[in-house]
Each structure stands twice: as structure tokens, then as C-alpha cells.
Amino acid sequence: NWNEEWERSYSPVEISEDCRVRAPFHPALEETRYELVISPRMSFGTAHHETTRLVMLRMLEAEWSGRKVLDLGCGTGQIADRFPAGQFIWTGTDLCRAMMDQARAKGRYHSLKIMNIDRQRYPFPSASFNAVIASGVLEFTRNLKSVLRNIARIHRPGGWLAFSVEKPARSVGFEIYDN
């Protein structure tokens, strides 16, 4: 059982002095402002990947209480797990119903929708989110420009877009934009 073997080798991660990530089978961490507990069962992004760590550091620096966050490709809810309950108003989207059922069971998301990120128009009003997170999903899109247009439309001015990209098998043509 490769997953069982992997879980045994899962070690706690220190994101910062104030934030540490551990699995339920690790002892509680004392003197930590944010202790995030992630069950590594089907979780992608258990804080060992550098981009996940950098996004967490960046978000911990900001004042986000009560802000609306869209988690594109939310999977089992691994990103929302990393923040204190009630800090954000989370909306999650994914294609996999089984993974979204796990996210729903955690109770972090205000709303969850089955959605393909390649759809022509996202089912959200313009300027409805303070932040959009796309962790490990943009490399699977067929039309990156369309996805970015959708994100720009639903994104509030001055908001954040946080994304990570694994090593895609094909070029997806990423470019850096100022705004």
C-alpha cells in the first residue's frame, strides 16, 4: 500500500514561527498560533511543496478576516484546511465529486460547485472574490487565456491570485502580467 507507506513518512512542516502543519497522528505542537492538521489520506498539497509553503506565508501576512476566497480545483479542501475556521468565506470548485464530498465534510466551504475551469463563463458575479487560489490546476486547462479572463472578471480590484503549477507534460504558455 503505497499511500500507507507515504503516510508513515509524512513529517510535520514549519511554515513560520506562527504556523506549523502536522498530521493527526503527530503530537500537538505547543506555542504555535496556527496549527494546521491535515490528514494525508487523499490530500494533495500537505505543505511539503515549496509553492504551497510560499502561498501560505504570503496569505498569513495579509489581513483577510471575512474576505471571500475562490478555491479553483479545491479537491479535498487542503488549502482551506490550512487556515483557521471562519477566517475566510470559502467557495470551492472541482470536477471530482468524491474529493468535494471530503471537502464538504470538513465544513470549511460556504459553497461548493462541480465545475470545469475551462468553461466559457464562471457562474459567479463580477468582482465577487478578494482572492482566487488555483493550486495545481492551471496546467490542465486547454485555454489558459479564457481561464485568466474569467478570474479577472470575478476578482475584486486589489485582490490576490495565488497559483502553483506542477511540471506540465506540455507547454501551457504562462506569461507574467502586472495587474
Side-chain angles (χ1 to χ4, degrees), residues 1 3 5 19 21 37 59 63 70 120 145 153 164:
N1 182 339
N3 198 57
E5 191 64 34
C19 181
V21 180
V37 180
M59 290 186 79
E63 175 52 50
L70 174 63
Q120 289 298 313
K145 285 184 181 182
R153 183 185 63 76
S164 65

Side-chain angles (χ1 to χ4, degrees), residues 142-179:
R142 290 190 175 109
N143 189 342
L144 183 60
K145 285 184 181 182
S146 175
V147 170
L148 292 176
R149 272 191 222 106
N150 267 303
I151 290 171
R153 183 185 63 76
I154 62 175
H155 204 263
R156 289 182 180 163
W160 287 28
L161 168 60
F163 66 92
S164 65
V165 181
E166 300 298 324
K167 297 175 186 168
R170 61 180 176 79
S171 172
V172 290
F174 281 100
E175 296 179 31
I176 303 297
Y177 296 94
D178 275 342
N179 38 0

